[in-house]
Amino acid sequence: MTSSTQADSADRIFDVAIIGAGPAGLYAAYYAGFRGFSTVVIDALPEVGGQVSAMYPEKEIFDIAGFPSVKGRELITGLMAQVDAFSPTIHTSQNVSKLERSDSNNWKLTCESGLSVIAKTVLITGGIGAFAPRPLPVGSQWLGKGLVHFVPQLSVHAGKHVVIAGGGDSAFDWAYSLQPIAASVTLIHRRDAFRAHAATVDAVRAMGVRLITSAEITDVKGDEVVGEVVITHKETGETESLPTDTLVAALGFVANIGPISDWGLELEKRHILVNTAMQTSLPGVFAAGDIATYPGKVPLISVGFGEAATAINNAAPFIDEHHGVFPGHSSGGSGE
């Protein structure tokens, strides 16, 4: 992975500063390099990949063009292969706390560590911001002792009895990935209907995963680690015990965009409002990916890629007034 020290960025003025190294941010870094722009990428996490690396590196992703399916980790590896061709500066474990004008033409980004970066344009691809998993109503004392919110390595759960709480995409993605290797997989949802994509629900059901609806986990038992969960069926009030080695709480996340809310951007429900050029209310500042919103927004990784390319191309005239928005087609060589 391309990386850099604080000293490497101290005396430079970058063409583009990208806040967030998830899929949209990495693709933006590639596209900025393709257009010949100098780029710095800053991310709060210790490694690139954003939510994909942190939450589901082994999950199969099915909506990336050109791939019938691709694991999260493989997607990030491929994106980094594209990025490394242009050698951008990358700072990880850095939280951008301030965004302000350094002069009439440039922006200054200041991190909590003291790192500061100057750039002509800024692209915010910070995903959903800082996120924390929603806890189970019971059993929080078992966190790290069989209770998990993420499954970064599937192999750890091979041969184990896995219980998954939740009815959204993440819950079904874990069920789909773990069923072939686990001793058993049971998914519990407190409602009758699932929020997950219908095709994924059908696939998980066809694999033989037990789906229990209208039920809640009311107790978690064990010795030093989780050994059993107790569920209560809402309609009858009856309880049922399930042997459990791993309890995956996939109940969603509480997101907080943090200091971004103080940067003077126009926001809508923790998202940054952008126009069709992906430009925010601040000139030369763009947003793409899950953190950006506009009428008709569809929050998919594949959409984020297009938004990233749109943002970088529309940033071009801010970097140099002689640059056009349209880069030319990559099949025809350089877009400059």
Side-chain angles (χ1 to χ4, degrees):
M1 180 183 72
T2 305
S3 60
S4 182
T5 64
Q6 294 192 20
D8 295 328
S9 300
D11 300 319
R12 296 184 63 182
I13 297 178
F14 293 92
D15 292 325
V16 185
I18 299 171
I19 303 173
L26 293 178
Y27 188 71
Y30 153 72
Y31 213 97
F34 170 70
R35 293 225 48 179
F37 302 147
S38 60
T39 307
V40 58
V41 183
I42 306 172
D43 197 276
L45 295 175
E47 62 178 323
V48 300
Q51 296 175 54
V52 174
S53 291
M55 292 167 28
Y56 47 88
E58 296 297 330
K59 188 188 85 168
E60 296 285 347
I61 304 172
F62 298 99
D63 58 2
I64 305 300
F67 295 90
S69 70
V70 59
K71 287 186 176 181
R73 190 184 304 278
E74 294 170 355
L75 174 63
I76 299 305
T77 298
L79 286 166
M80 281 304 299
Q82 283 185 306
V83 168
D84 281 341
F86 299 102
S87 301
T89 297
I90 297 179
H91 294 289
T92 54
S93 299
Q94 294 285 352
N95 287 287
V96 180
S97 56
K98 292 183 181 179
L99 174 66
E100 55 194 343
R101 280 291 195 184
S102 67
D103 54 44
S104 60
N105 296 315
N106 300 317
W107 289 95
K108 180 180 180 180
L109 295 79
T110 304
C111 299
E112 292 177 358
S113 68
L115 170 70
S116 63
V117 169
I118 305 296
K120 297 176 183 178
T121 62
V122 177
L123 173 56
I124 304 170
T125 56
I128 59 175
F131 53 90
R134 296 184 187 276
L136 279 170
V138 297
S140 59
Q141 71 271 23
W142 296 103
L143 187 62
K145 302 175 182 179
L147 171 62
V148 299
H149 294 286
F150 313 119
V151 186
Q153 287 186 300
L154 297 176
S155 59
V156 172
H157 308 285
K160 295 185 177 182
H161 296 287
V162 179
V163 173
I164 302 171
D169 289 317
S170 292
F172 275 87
D173 287 337
W174 296 135
Y176 182 89
S177 298
L178 289 168
Q179 173 66 9
I181 64 171
S184 68
V185 176
T186 304
L187 188 146
I188 301 166
H189 186 43
R190 60 193 178 93
R191 296 192 177 95
D192 290 326
F194 300 112
R195 302 186 311 276
H197 194 282
T200 308
V201 174
D202 291 342
V204 167
R205 183 178 283 113
M207 295 174 76
V209 172
R210 185 184 178 194
L211 305 180
I212 302 175
T213 58
S214 192
E216 291 185 307
I217 295 174
T218 50
D219 199 5
V220 182
K221 300 179 180 181
D223 189 3
E224 295 182 357
V225 296
V226 171
E228 175 186 356
V229 299
V230 179
I231 65 172
T232 300
H233 296 270
K234 291 185 177 182
E235 293 183 2
T236 64
E238 295 179 352
T239 61
E240 179 181 355
S241 296
L242 300 173
T244 307
D245 300 306
T246 299
L247 173 57
V248 183
L251 303 177
F253 300 87
V254 177
N256 186 344
I257 62 172
I260 291 177
S261 60
D262 300 323
W263 294 352
L265 297 157
E266 188 175 358
L267 303 175
E268 182 179 284
K269 297 180 179 179
R270 301 194 310 273
H271 293 80
I272 301 172
L273 280 168
V274 296
N275 60 19
T276 56
M278 307 310 297
Q279 185 169 339
T280 71
S281 55
L282 299 178
V285 178
F286 299 79
D290 287 350
I291 201 166
T293 191
Y294 47 84
K297 166 81 176 192
V298 179
L300 295 173
I301 292 177
S302 53
V303 172
F305 290 154
E307 292 173 350
T310 298
I312 292 298
N313 285 320
N314 281 279
F318 286 87
I319 295 168
D320 186 326
E321 63 182 7
H322 300 295
H323 285 312
V325 170
F326 181 57
H329 297 293
S330 61
S331 56
S334 173
E336 292 301 316

